[in-house]
Amino acid sequence: MPKTPEKPMKNFIDSRLQEALTQYPDRLALRAGENSYTYGQLAHLVPRIATKLRSEGIDASSRVGVSQSAALDYLLTWALLWLGVTSCSIQKSLEIKRGDFGIDWLLTATPESEFDTGDNDGQKSRNLVIDRLWFMEAEAIAEPISAPDIDEGSIARLAMTSGSTGVPKCASFSFDFVSKRAGIGSGDLKTNVRGSFFGPTIWVGFNRLLSSFMDGATIHMLPVSSPKELVASSELGLEEISGSPAQYVTLLQAIGPIAARFWNLKVLRVSGGLLTKRLKDRLLESFSCNIEVRYSSTETGNLASAVINRSSPDYFVGLVAKDVIVEIVDGNGNAVESGARGQVRVKKSTMITSYLDRSGQALPALKSRWFYPGDEGSLTADGELFVYDRAGRVKNFGGVKIDLGKVEEFFDAEPGVSGSAALSGFTDALGVERVLVAIERGPGFDRSSTIEKAKSQSFFSSVLDILEFDDFPRSEMGKIQKEALALKIESKRLKPR
């Protein structure tokens, strides 16, 4: 039996769906590939999908992992929230095992699960195949269950992140927290279409996506892996695009800088990673709309934002938001002078205070009530925030000092590279530490050409190897989880070239 909520709160997903059903049932809500749904259709489908999930044994006491390859996973998102169930997006590259983070259900697209099917310390998870037949059966349900009350203190979302340590873990968000971050709780549902989105799955920018869903936006999930569909997407009448720097690299590779000018966008938003000077210049050359950068993290949400142009200084991420306190400190935690570089630390009313490790145990996320994103930055007296790179990224490799951020900036600018990671901690046959470069390859990547160009760089003599991957483990904000990537590389027992 489902547990009774200790602190019941209004089922905000059901309330918004019913309001949308009354105000604009025929407005397009979601489009992903061949699938499209109006708000009226969602109001019909979500309770029925939730009813079928309940019949499978999933309720508010469950903790559900959803494969990013599961069919129509965006519908599952609203249904799980509607049920008051804890959900978590799972990437294959994170190598999640049964029982990790307390997950007891795995929703996958095929019977052959892409996840480890062995036990983890005796804990078991159940796999549920979510395919089109399953959705058809859900849609045919005549009488769905009534919307349950939600426990405001129970966990709504688990978000994979590396935080400031680089160690993969889960940030947990209560239903009350999620609703407040999404701006839910006061006023009527907006009746104007506020924007559209681009991203490979629903899990990119979850809070932003939820907020726009609640505001009545039309959300297009553009397939970054399919250049032909991206080009065709220019006919969708998109008003805005949101994505990470890596996604924009893929977008530009797919449609080309000239074609991008024919996308009649109002704004292009960049978050989930640092916007390099090269990519900023490329975006300004390619798009004629406003370009907004957002400095944010999974743990804190938005911290600063700015609309940039050609005269904007490099590394500028905007004015600090009104509800945020930012300090720049030295290695001892002492505030530095205005404009001086140091470590960024922040305070915000809506930020997490703890993580979950793989065993499900709580880990502290704050140091003396401050959150450290792990970035190097500076702050002017007027509240202008600049973020340069991850803190402490200049390393000594056999007597040669190398800025790992500069290594990544070089590879990120190469054609066909969707993302790169310069990793330390790897040694050659003589035991000398060297740089290992991992590349997330996209369409048009030419390994020979890239290596030939890299040979002219001063860092190349310290490179151990350059490895290629189809996809990197990333947080929900799109940031590369380098610790998980390094563990994946080590597990293959790589040999020096």
Side-chain angles (χ1 to χ4, degrees), residues 74-127:
Y74 42 84
L75 293 182
L76 291 172
T77 299
W78 312 133
L80 290 167
L81 286 172
W82 190 93
L83 271 179
V85 173
T86 304
S87 64
C88 178
S89 168
I90 295 180
Q91 303 172 44
K92 182 178 180 181
S93 55
L94 292 176
E95 299 181 353
I96 300 295
K97 297 180 176 63
R98 291 190 175 199
D100 281 356
F101 309 110
I103 294 170
D104 52 12
W105 283 89
L106 296 174
L107 308 188
T108 63
T110 60
E112 295 77 24
S113 172
E114 62 195 72
F115 304 104
D116 189 328
T117 56
D119 292 348
N120 185 7
D121 297 329
Q123 299 186 51
K124 295 182 180 295
S125 295
R126 286 160 284 185
N127 286 6

Short mmCIF file of all heavy atoms in Angstrom, two decimals, residues 74-127:
data_model
loop_
_atom_site.label_atom_id
_atom_site.label_comp_id
_atom_site.label_asym_id
_atom_site.label_seq_id
_atom_site.Cartn_x
_atom_site.Cartn_y
_atom_site.Cartn_z
N TYR A 74 9.77 11.43 -21.51
CA TYR A 74 9.24 12.68 -21.01
C TYR A 74 7.85 12.50 -20.41
O TYR A 74 7.48 13.16 -19.44
CB TYR A 74 9.22 13.76 -22.10
CG TYR A 74 8.76 13.28 -23.45
CD1 TYR A 74 7.41 13.21 -23.75
CD2 TYR A 74 9.68 12.89 -24.41
CE1 TYR A 74 6.98 12.76 -24.98
CE2 TYR A 74 9.25 12.44 -25.66
CZ TYR A 74 7.91 12.37 -25.94
OH TYR A 74 7.48 11.92 -27.15
N LEU A 75 7.02 11.59 -20.96
CA LEU A 75 5.72 11.31 -20.39
C LEU A 75 5.86 10.60 -19.04
O LEU A 75 5.07 10.82 -18.11
CB LEU A 75 4.89 10.44 -21.33
CG LEU A 75 4.45 11.08 -22.65
CD1 LEU A 75 3.59 10.12 -23.45
CD2 LEU A 75 3.69 12.37 -22.39
N LEU A 76 6.85 9.75 -18.92
CA LEU A 76 7.10 9.07 -17.65
C LEU A 76 7.44 10.08 -16.56
O LEU A 76 7.08 9.90 -15.40
CB LEU A 76 8.24 8.06 -17.80
CG LEU A 76 7.96 6.83 -18.66
CD1 LEU A 76 9.22 6.03 -18.87
CD2 LEU A 76 6.87 5.98 -18.02
N THR A 77 8.15 11.14 -16.93
CA THR A 77 8.54 12.15 -15.96
C THR A 77 7.32 12.76 -15.27
O THR A 77 7.23 12.80 -14.05
CB THR A 77 9.32 13.28 -16.64
OG1 THR A 77 10.50 12.74 -17.21
CG2 THR A 77 9.71 14.35 -15.62
N TRP A 78 6.37 13.23 -16.07
CA TRP A 78 5.19 13.87 -15.48
C TRP A 78 4.37 12.85 -14.70
O TRP A 78 3.82 13.17 -13.64
CB TRP A 78 4.32 14.51 -16.56
CG TRP A 78 5.07 15.35 -17.54
CD1 TRP A 78 4.96 15.32 -18.89
CD2 TRP A 78 6.06 16.36 -17.25
NE1 TRP A 78 5.81 16.23 -19.46
CE2 TRP A 78 6.50 16.88 -18.48
CE3 TRP A 78 6.62 16.86 -16.08
CZ2 TRP A 78 7.46 17.88 -18.58
CZ3 TRP A 78 7.60 17.86 -16.17
CH2 TRP A 78 8.00 18.34 -17.40
N ALA A 79 4.29 11.61 -15.18
CA ALA A 79 3.51 10.58 -14.50
C ALA A 79 4.11 10.23 -13.14
O ALA A 79 3.38 10.04 -12.16
CB ALA A 79 3.40 9.33 -15.37
N LEU A 80 5.43 10.14 -13.06
CA LEU A 80 6.08 9.83 -11.79
C LEU A 80 5.91 10.97 -10.79
O LEU A 80 5.67 10.75 -9.60
CB LEU A 80 7.56 9.51 -12.02
CG LEU A 80 7.83 8.18 -12.73
CD1 LEU A 80 9.29 8.09 -13.19
CD2 LEU A 80 7.51 7.00 -11.82
N LEU A 81 6.04 12.21 -11.28
CA LEU A 81 5.79 13.36 -10.41
C LEU A 81 4.33 13.36 -9.94
O LEU A 81 4.03 13.65 -8.78
CB LEU A 81 6.11 14.66 -11.14
CG LEU A 81 7.57 15.01 -11.36
CD1 LEU A 81 7.69 16.22 -12.27
CD2 LEU A 81 8.29 15.26 -10.04
N TRP A 82 3.41 13.06 -10.85
CA TRP A 82 1.98 13.00 -10.55
C TRP A 82 1.70 11.99 -9.45
O TRP A 82 0.85 12.20 -8.57
CB TRP A 82 1.23 12.65 -11.83
CG TRP A 82 -0.26 12.76 -11.82
CD1 TRP A 82 -1.02 13.84 -12.19
CD2 TRP A 82 -1.20 11.73 -11.48
NE1 TRP A 82 -2.36 13.56 -12.09
CE2 TRP A 82 -2.50 12.25 -11.65
CE3 TRP A 82 -1.07 10.41 -11.03
CZ2 TRP A 82 -3.66 11.52 -11.39
CZ3 TRP A 82 -2.22 9.68 -10.77
CH2 TRP A 82 -3.49 10.22 -10.96
N LEU A 83 2.44 10.86 -9.47
CA LEU A 83 2.28 9.80 -8.48
C LEU A 83 2.95 10.11 -7.15
O LEU A 83 2.71 9.42 -6.16
CB LEU A 83 2.85 8.49 -9.01
CG LEU A 83 1.95 7.56 -9.81
CD1 LEU A 83 2.74 6.33 -10.24
CD2 LEU A 83 0.73 7.14 -8.99
N GLY A 84 3.83 11.14 -7.14
CA GLY A 84 4.59 11.42 -5.93
C GLY A 84 5.75 10.48 -5.73
O GLY A 84 6.16 10.20 -4.59
N VAL A 85 6.31 9.98 -6.85
CA VAL A 85 7.39 8.99 -6.81
C VAL A 85 8.75 9.64 -7.04
O VAL A 85 8.87 10.56 -7.85
CB VAL A 85 7.14 7.90 -7.88
CG1 VAL A 85 8.32 6.94 -7.98
CG2 VAL A 85 5.86 7.14 -7.56
N THR A 86 9.76 9.15 -6.37
CA THR A 86 11.14 9.60 -6.58
C THR A 86 11.65 9.05 -7.91
O THR A 86 11.58 7.85 -8.16
CB THR A 86 12.06 9.11 -5.45
OG1 THR A 86 11.56 9.55 -4.20
CG2 THR A 86 13.48 9.63 -5.65
N SER A 87 12.19 9.94 -8.76
CA SER A 87 12.72 9.49 -10.05
C SER A 87 14.13 10.00 -10.26
O SER A 87 14.55 10.99 -9.67
CB SER A 87 11.82 9.95 -11.20
OG SER A 87 11.80 11.36 -11.29
N CYS A 88 14.85 9.30 -11.13
CA CYS A 88 16.24 9.66 -11.43
C CYS A 88 16.55 9.25 -12.86
O CYS A 88 16.20 8.14 -13.30
CB CYS A 88 17.19 8.94 -10.48
SG CYS A 88 18.95 9.24 -10.78
N SER A 89 17.15 10.16 -13.63
CA SER A 89 17.60 9.83 -14.97
C SER A 89 18.90 9.05 -14.88
O SER A 89 19.79 9.39 -14.10
CB SER A 89 17.84 11.12 -15.76
OG SER A 89 18.54 10.84 -16.95
N ILE A 90 19.01 8.00 -15.68
CA ILE A 90 20.21 7.15 -15.62
C ILE A 90 20.86 7.08 -17.00
O ILE A 90 20.20 6.76 -17.98
CB ILE A 90 19.87 5.74 -15.14
CG1 ILE A 90 19.37 5.79 -13.68
CG2 ILE A 90 21.08 4.83 -15.23
CD1 ILE A 90 19.01 4.45 -13.11
N GLN A 91 22.14 7.39 -17.04
CA GLN A 91 22.93 7.26 -18.25
C GLN A 91 23.68 5.94 -18.23
O GLN A 91 24.23 5.55 -17.20
CB GLN A 91 23.94 8.40 -18.37
CG GLN A 91 23.34 9.79 -18.33
CD GLN A 91 24.42 10.83 -18.25
OE1 GLN A 91 25.42 10.76 -18.96
NE2 GLN A 91 24.23 11.82 -17.40
N LYS A 92 23.73 5.27 -19.35
CA LYS A 92 24.46 4.01 -19.44
C LYS A 92 25.93 4.20 -19.06
O LYS A 92 26.54 3.35 -18.42
CB LYS A 92 24.35 3.44 -20.85
CG LYS A 92 25.05 2.11 -21.05
CD LYS A 92 24.87 1.58 -22.45
CE LYS A 92 25.56 0.24 -22.64
NZ LYS A 92 25.41 -0.27 -24.02
N SER A 93 26.49 5.36 -19.42
CA SER A 93 27.91 5.60 -19.18
C SER A 93 28.26 5.70 -17.70
O SER A 93 29.41 5.62 -17.32
CB SER A 93 28.35 6.88 -19.90
OG SER A 93 27.53 7.96 -19.52
N LEU A 94 27.25 5.89 -16.84
CA LEU A 94 27.52 5.99 -15.41
C LEU A 94 27.65 4.62 -14.75
O LEU A 94 28.02 4.51 -13.60
CB LEU A 94 26.41 6.78 -14.71
CG LEU A 94 26.34 8.26 -15.05
CD1 LEU A 94 25.14 8.90 -14.38
CD2 LEU A 94 27.61 8.98 -14.65
N GLU A 95 27.30 3.56 -15.48
CA GLU A 95 27.44 2.18 -15.01
C GLU A 95 26.75 1.99 -13.66
O GLU A 95 27.32 1.51 -12.69
CB GLU A 95 28.92 1.79 -14.94
CG GLU A 95 29.61 1.85 -16.29
CD GLU A 95 31.07 1.46 -16.26
OE1 GLU A 95 31.61 1.25 -15.15
OE2 GLU A 95 31.68 1.32 -17.33
N ILE A 96 25.47 2.35 -13.62
CA ILE A 96 24.67 2.18 -12.42
C ILE A 96 24.42 0.70 -12.18
O ILE A 96 24.09 -0.05 -13.10
CB ILE A 96 23.32 2.91 -12.55
CG1 ILE A 96 23.56 4.40 -12.77
CG2 ILE A 96 22.44 2.68 -11.32
CD1 ILE A 96 24.21 5.10 -11.62
N LYS A 97 24.56 0.26 -10.92
CA LYS A 97 24.28 -1.12 -10.55
C LYS A 97 23.00 -1.17 -9.73
O LYS A 97 22.56 -0.17 -9.18
CB LYS A 97 25.44 -1.71 -9.75
CG LYS A 97 26.75 -1.79 -10.51
CD LYS A 97 27.83 -2.39 -9.64
CE LYS A 97 29.13 -2.56 -10.43
NZ LYS A 97 29.67 -1.27 -10.87
N ARG A 98 22.43 -2.34 -9.66
CA ARG A 98 21.21 -2.51 -8.89
C ARG A 98 21.43 -2.07 -7.44
O ARG A 98 22.42 -2.45 -6.81
CB ARG A 98 20.77 -3.97 -8.92
CG ARG A 98 20.28 -4.41 -10.28
CD ARG A 98 19.65 -5.77 -10.20
NE ARG A 98 19.07 -6.15 -11.48
CZ ARG A 98 18.16 -7.10 -11.61
NH1 ARG A 98 17.72 -7.72 -10.55
NH2 ARG A 98 17.68 -7.39 -12.79
N GLY A 99 20.47 -1.30 -6.94
CA GLY A 99 20.55 -0.87 -5.56
C GLY A 99 21.32 0.42 -5.36
O GLY A 99 21.26 1.00 -4.27
N ASP A 100 22.06 0.89 -6.37
CA ASP A 100 22.78 2.15 -6.24
C ASP A 100 21.81 3.28 -5.96
O ASP A 100 20.74 3.38 -6.58
CB ASP A 100 23.56 2.46 -7.53
CG ASP A 100 24.85 1.67 -7.64
OD1 ASP A 100 25.18 0.95 -6.68
OD2 ASP A 100 25.53 1.76 -8.68
N PHE A 101 22.17 4.14 -5.02
CA PHE A 101 21.37 5.31 -4.64
C PHE A 101 19.96 4.92 -4.16
O PHE A 101 19.06 5.73 -4.16
CB PHE A 101 21.27 6.31 -5.79
CG PHE A 101 22.60 6.67 -6.38
CD1 PHE A 101 22.95 6.23 -7.65
CD2 PHE A 101 23.50 7.45 -5.67
CE1 PHE A 101 24.20 6.54 -8.18
CE2 PHE A 101 24.75 7.76 -6.20
CZ PHE A 101 25.10 7.31 -7.45
N GLY A 102 19.81 3.66 -3.75
CA GLY A 102 18.51 3.20 -3.25
C GLY A 102 17.50 2.95 -4.34
O GLY A 102 16.31 2.77 -4.06
N ILE A 103 17.93 2.93 -5.62
CA ILE A 103 17.01 2.72 -6.74
C ILE A 103 16.49 1.28 -6.74
O ILE A 103 17.27 0.33 -6.75
CB ILE A 103 17.70 3.05 -8.08
CG1 ILE A 103 18.02 4.54 -8.15
CG2 ILE A 103 16.83 2.63 -9.26
CD1 ILE A 103 18.91 4.92 -9.31
N ASP A 104 15.17 1.12 -6.70
CA ASP A 104 14.60 -0.22 -6.68
C ASP A 104 13.81 -0.58 -7.93
O ASP A 104 13.30 -1.69 -8.05
CB ASP A 104 13.73 -0.44 -5.43
CG ASP A 104 12.68 0.64 -5.24
OD1 ASP A 104 12.47 1.43 -6.17
OD2 ASP A 104 12.10 0.70 -4.14
N TRP A 105 13.69 0.38 -8.87
CA TRP A 105 13.06 0.10 -10.16
C TRP A 105 13.91 0.72 -11.26
O TRP A 105 14.42 1.83 -11.11
CB TRP A 105 11.66 0.71 -10.25
CG TRP A 105 10.60 -0.03 -9.51
CD1 TRP A 105 10.23 0.15 -8.21
CD2 TRP A 105 9.75 -1.05 -10.02
NE1 TRP A 105 9.22 -0.68 -7.87
CE2 TRP A 105 8.89 -1.44 -8.98
CE3 TRP A 105 9.62 -1.68 -11.27
CZ2 TRP A 105 7.92 -2.43 -9.13
CZ3 TRP A 105 8.66 -2.66 -11.42
CH2 TRP A 105 7.81 -3.03 -10.37
N LEU A 106 14.04 -0.02 -12.38
CA LEU A 106 14.73 0.51 -13.55
C LEU A 106 13.76 0.41 -14.74
O LEU A 106 13.31 -0.68 -15.09
CB LEU A 106 16.00 -0.28 -13.86
CG LEU A 106 17.10 -0.23 -12.79
CD1 LEU A 106 18.23 -1.20 -13.17
CD2 LEU A 106 17.65 1.17 -12.64
N LEU A 107 13.41 1.56 -15.32
CA LEU A 107 12.53 1.58 -16.48
C LEU A 107 13.39 1.64 -17.74
O LEU A 107 14.13 2.59 -17.94
CB LEU A 107 11.58 2.78 -16.43
CG LEU A 107 10.77 2.96 -15.14
CD1 LEU A 107 9.75 4.07 -15.30
CD2 LEU A 107 10.11 1.67 -14.70
N THR A 108 13.30 0.62 -18.57
CA THR A 108 14.15 0.52 -19.75
C THR A 108 13.30 0.31 -21.00
O THR A 108 12.11 0.03 -20.93
CB THR A 108 15.13 -0.66 -19.61
OG1 THR A 108 14.39 -1.89 -19.52
CG2 THR A 108 15.98 -0.51 -18.37
N ALA A 109 13.94 0.44 -22.16
CA ALA A 109 13.23 0.35 -23.43
C ALA A 109 13.17 -1.07 -23.98
O ALA A 109 12.33 -1.38 -24.82
CB ALA A 109 13.88 1.27 -24.46
N THR A 110 14.07 -1.94 -23.54
CA THR A 110 14.14 -3.30 -24.09
C THR A 110 14.30 -4.31 -22.97
O THR A 110 14.76 -3.98 -21.87
CB THR A 110 15.35 -3.44 -25.04
OG1 THR A 110 16.55 -3.18 -24.31
CG2 THR A 110 15.24 -2.47 -26.21
N PRO A 111 13.94 -5.57 -23.21
CA PRO A 111 14.13 -6.61 -22.19
C PRO A 111 15.58 -6.80 -21.80
O PRO A 111 15.89 -7.12 -20.66
CB PRO A 111 13.56 -7.88 -22.86
CG PRO A 111 12.64 -7.37 -23.92
CD PRO A 111 13.25 -6.09 -24.41
N GLU A 112 16.49 -6.60 -22.78
CA GLU A 112 17.91 -6.75 -22.48
C GLU A 112 18.38 -5.47 -21.82
O GLU A 112 18.76 -4.50 -22.48
CB GLU A 112 18.72 -7.01 -23.76
CG GLU A 112 18.39 -8.32 -24.44
CD GLU A 112 17.09 -8.27 -25.22
OE1 GLU A 112 16.66 -7.16 -25.60
OE2 GLU A 112 16.48 -9.32 -25.42
N SER A 113 18.35 -5.44 -20.50
CA SER A 113 18.68 -4.23 -19.77
C SER A 113 20.10 -3.79 -20.04
O SER A 113 21.02 -4.61 -20.12
CB SER A 113 18.51 -4.45 -18.27
OG SER A 113 19.00 -3.34 -17.55
N GLU A 114 20.29 -2.48 -20.20
CA GLU A 114 21.63 -1.94 -20.39
C GLU A 114 22.35 -1.74 -19.06
O GLU A 114 23.48 -1.30 -19.02
CB GLU A 114 21.54 -0.59 -21.11
CG GLU A 114 20.77 0.46 -20.32
CD GLU A 114 20.38 1.64 -21.18
OE1 GLU A 114 19.48 1.47 -22.02
OE2 GLU A 114 20.96 2.71 -21.01
N PHE A 115 21.68 -2.10 -17.96
CA PHE A 115 22.26 -1.91 -16.65
C PHE A 115 22.80 -3.22 -16.10
O PHE A 115 22.40 -4.31 -16.51
CB PHE A 115 21.23 -1.33 -15.69
CG PHE A 115 20.62 -0.06 -16.19
CD1 PHE A 115 19.34 -0.04 -16.71
CD2 PHE A 115 21.34 1.12 -16.16
CE1 PHE A 115 18.79 1.13 -17.19
CE2 PHE A 115 20.80 2.29 -16.65
CZ PHE A 115 19.52 2.29 -17.16
N ASP A 116 23.68 -3.11 -15.12
CA ASP A 116 24.22 -4.27 -14.43
C ASP A 116 23.06 -5.02 -13.76
O ASP A 116 22.31 -4.44 -12.99
CB ASP A 116 25.23 -3.81 -13.38
CG ASP A 116 25.99 -4.96 -12.76
OD1 ASP A 116 25.41 -6.06 -12.65
OD2 ASP A 116 27.16 -4.76 -12.38
N THR A 117 22.92 -6.31 -14.06
CA THR A 117 21.81 -7.07 -13.50
C THR A 117 22.20 -7.85 -12.25
O THR A 117 21.42 -8.61 -11.71
CB THR A 117 21.25 -8.05 -14.54
OG1 THR A 117 22.33 -8.88 -15.02
CG2 THR A 117 20.64 -7.31 -15.71
N GLY A 118 23.43 -7.66 -11.78
CA GLY A 118 23.85 -8.34 -10.57
C GLY A 118 23.40 -7.62 -9.33
O GLY A 118 22.99 -6.47 -9.37
N ASP A 119 23.47 -8.30 -8.21
CA ASP A 119 23.10 -7.67 -6.95
C ASP A 119 24.21 -6.73 -6.50
O ASP A 119 25.38 -6.92 -6.79
CB ASP A 119 22.88 -8.72 -5.86
CG ASP A 119 21.64 -9.56 -6.14
OD1 ASP A 119 20.88 -9.17 -7.03
OD2 ASP A 119 21.47 -10.59 -5.46
N ASN A 120 23.82 -5.72 -5.76
CA ASN A 120 24.77 -4.79 -5.15
C ASN A 120 24.52 -4.83 -3.66
O ASN A 120 23.56 -4.26 -3.16
CB ASN A 120 24.55 -3.38 -5.69
CG ASN A 120 25.59 -2.40 -5.18
OD1 ASN A 120 26.54 -2.79 -4.52
ND2 ASN A 120 25.38 -1.13 -5.47
N ASP A 121 25.39 -5.57 -2.94
CA ASP A 121 25.23 -5.74 -1.49
C ASP A 121 23.87 -6.33 -1.15
O ASP A 121 23.22 -5.96 -0.16
CB ASP A 121 25.41 -4.40 -0.75
CG ASP A 121 26.81 -3.83 -0.94
OD1 ASP A 121 27.74 -4.64 -1.08
OD2 ASP A 121 26.95 -2.60 -0.95
N GLY A 122 23.40 -7.26 -1.98
CA GLY A 122 22.16 -7.94 -1.70
C GLY A 122 20.90 -7.18 -2.08
O GLY A 122 19.80 -7.70 -1.96
N GLN A 123 21.03 -5.94 -2.54
CA GLN A 123 19.85 -5.16 -2.91
C GLN A 123 19.46 -5.49 -4.35
O GLN A 123 20.30 -5.70 -5.21
CB GLN A 123 20.15 -3.67 -2.78
CG GLN A 123 20.52 -3.25 -1.38
CD GLN A 123 20.67 -1.75 -1.27
OE1 GLN A 123 19.81 -1.00 -1.68
NE2 GLN A 123 21.79 -1.33 -0.72
N LYS A 124 18.16 -5.51 -4.58
CA LYS A 124 17.66 -5.88 -5.90
C LYS A 124 16.82 -4.76 -6.49
O LYS A 124 16.17 -4.02 -5.79
CB LYS A 124 16.82 -7.15 -5.82
CG LYS A 124 17.62 -8.39 -5.41
CD LYS A 124 16.73 -9.61 -5.39
CE LYS A 124 17.51 -10.86 -4.98
NZ LYS A 124 18.55 -11.23 -5.94
N SER A 125 16.87 -4.63 -7.81
CA SER A 125 16.00 -3.71 -8.53
C SER A 125 15.20 -4.50 -9.54
O SER A 125 15.66 -5.52 -10.05
CB SER A 125 16.83 -2.64 -9.25
OG SER A 125 17.50 -1.81 -8.35
N ARG A 126 14.01 -4.02 -9.83
CA ARG A 126 13.16 -4.68 -10.81
C ARG A 126 13.20 -3.89 -12.10
O ARG A 126 13.07 -2.66 -12.09
CB ARG A 126 11.74 -4.78 -10.27
CG ARG A 126 11.59 -5.83 -9.18
CD ARG A 126 10.35 -5.58 -8.34
NE ARG A 126 10.58 -4.48 -7.41
CZ ARG A 126 9.71 -4.09 -6.47
NH1 ARG A 126 8.54 -4.70 -6.39
NH2 ARG A 126 10.00 -3.10 -5.66
N ASN A 127 13.37 -4.59 -13.21
CA ASN A 127 13.37 -3.95 -14.51
C ASN A 127 11.97 -3.99 -15.10
O ASN A 127 11.31 -5.03 -15.10
CB ASN A 127 14.33 -4.65 -15.47
CG ASN A 127 15.77 -4.34 -15.15
OD1 ASN A 127 16.06 -3.71 -14.15
ND2 ASN A 127 16.67 -4.83 -15.98
#
